Amino acid sequence: MTWFIHHVNIPAHDTRDSSNFYERVLGVEEVPWVFPDRLDVVIQDPEKLRLLPCPTRALVANPGIHVVKPDPGFSISRRFHHNPTIGGHVAYHVADLDQVIARLEARGVPHTLTGEYAIPNIRQVYFFDPAMNLVEANACLTADRAELSAAPWSIHHVNIAAIDVRETAEFYMDVLAMEEAAWTFPANRGAVSADPAELTLMPSDTMSQGANTGLHIIKPDPLFAQKNGLIHNPSIGGHIAYQVPDLARVIATLEELDVPFSLTGEFAIPGMRHLYCFDPAMNLIEVNEML
């Protein structure tokens, strides 16, 4: 099953503040959300829902970064088992959502299946992985669009934390039919484990440049930052990695905004350097570029 990251959903109590941050740091521009014809189920308030688009070739609406204000009553009012507005989640676009649902049912995994309620021509299923990361899988309702894949994109990878990396990796391989691949390290690797029980890669169906794109599953290491001389620990709590053509511009912007960041050389991915920081809502992000 081919897949790519359709969007990342990040919580923010002040969506305008977070949106402004991403616009300045990543150089993206907020665009209006595209709603389906059924407008009664999603609140159309830009103070609660904002879209920062990532480029994609697939004919699907609203790809990119979804900045959402947490709503404790969201799941109750919609009779969902899961609340996608709280804690953030990653949405994987797949070719066959029915296969995903069948595998969830075979495993006895509670899930919330929606019709076309938030994005035109898209239906979603929400569920937790074994590490309790909220996951969305979605697919197009029309067959002619379901087979399209991703074009160059600004999300390089998503990193999720799991105490049991092997259990979580097996779950994604089974439920979403992902394939595991060997991690590619640079010659001068930092203090990053090469043990597949502590770090693994699920490469996405993407055309973005650079190694190790897709889903990273990592075992949290409380000493990771100390071992690598960082002030942020990217192994705990998960993060989103955005690829940009000019990291120097990002650095200058963060310094202007007085945002602390951790800058690395080539330490985890060959031909790439990384920067870690928190956004205004304290979501950890990575920004990277090809050297």
Side-chain angles (χ1 to χ4, degrees):
M1 181 185 296
T2 59
W3 64 276
F4 62 89
I5 297 172
H6 175 267
H7 68 264
V8 292
N9 182 301
I10 59 172
H13 288 285
D14 187 333
T15 61
R16 185 184 299 275
D17 188 31
S18 291
S19 178
N20 289 342
F21 173 86
Y22 283 100
E23 286 185 319
R24 292 194 61 181
V25 172
L26 297 182
V28 298
E29 184 176 350
E30 183 182 351
V31 299
W33 188 276
V34 180
F35 289 99
D37 292 335
R38 292 181 59 202
L39 300 179
D40 59 317
V41 291
V42 177
I43 297 175
Q44 300 177 73
D45 183 349
E47 300 306 316
K48 297 182 179 179
L49 178 64
R50 295 179 181 273
L51 170 64
L52 297 161
C54 291
T56 176
R57 188 175 71 230
L59 299 178
V60 289
N62 304 340
I65 306 170
H66 296 182
V67 185
V68 179
K69 186 171 184 176
D71 178 1
F74 188 93
S75 57
I76 296 174
S77 63
R78 288 154 183 83
R79 298 183 180 179
F80 286 3
H81 299 303
H82 304 79
N83 190 333
T85 74
I86 293 179
H89 65 267
V90 183
Y92 305 96
H93 187 86
V94 300
D96 191 337
L97 195 64
D98 290 329
Q99 290 184 20
V100 173
I101 296 166
R103 291 168 182 149
L104 290 170
E105 291 176 343
R107 282 175 164 262
V109 176
H111 54 281
T112 298
L113 178 63
T114 78
E116 185 186 33
Y117 91 105
I119 303 174
N121 195 40
I122 289 284
R123 63 173 179 152
Q124 300 103 331
V125 62
Y126 299 101
F127 53 93
F128 286 109
D129 71 14
M132 294 306 292
N133 299 293
L134 183 60
V135 180
E136 173 187 330
N138 65 42
C140 293
L141 292 169
T142 54
D144 60 327
R145 295 186 175 188
E147 297 178 357
L148 295 175
S149 60
W153 54 326
S154 61
I155 301 175
H156 178 270
H157 67 263
V158 169
N159 181 299
I160 62 171
I163 298 299
D164 191 330
V165 169
R166 299 315 312 161
E167 178 190 28
T168 303
E170 188 276 332
F171 178 87
Y172 280 92
M173 287 188 283
D174 177 28
V175 173
L176 293 181
M178 293 182 176
E179 295 182 0
E180 188 173 21
W183 190 277
T184 303
F185 286 102
N188 298 315
R189 185 174 86 232
V192 182
S193 176
D195 186 344
E198 297 181 351
L199 177 66
T200 193
L201 166 68
M202 305 288 169
S204 62
D205 178 24
T206 174
M207 297 173 63
S208 59
Q209 294 183 345
N212 303 342
T213 60
L215 172 62
H216 298 179
I217 306 174
I218 189 169
K219 185 174 182 177
D221 178 0
L223 299 179
F224 188 98
Q226 178 181 337
K227 293 175 183 176
N228 289 284
L230 308 175
I231 60 175
H232 301 80
N233 189 331
S235 77
I236 294 179
H239 64 267
I240 314 300
Y242 305 98
Q243 186 170 354
V244 298
D246 185 2
L247 196 62
R249 189 199 65 79
V250 174
I251 293 170
T253 301
L254 292 175
E255 289 176 340
E256 181 182 348
L257 295 173
D258 198 25
V259 175
F261 59 88
S262 298
L263 179 64
T264 78
E266 186 184 33
F267 90 115
I269 301 175
M272 184 169 284
R273 65 171 180 161
H274 320 256
L275 176 154
Y276 301 98
C277 68
F278 287 107
D279 72 9
M282 293 305 292
N283 299 295
L284 182 62
I285 68 171
E286 171 187 334
V287 187
N288 59 46
E289 71 170 356
M290 299 299 297
L291 293 171

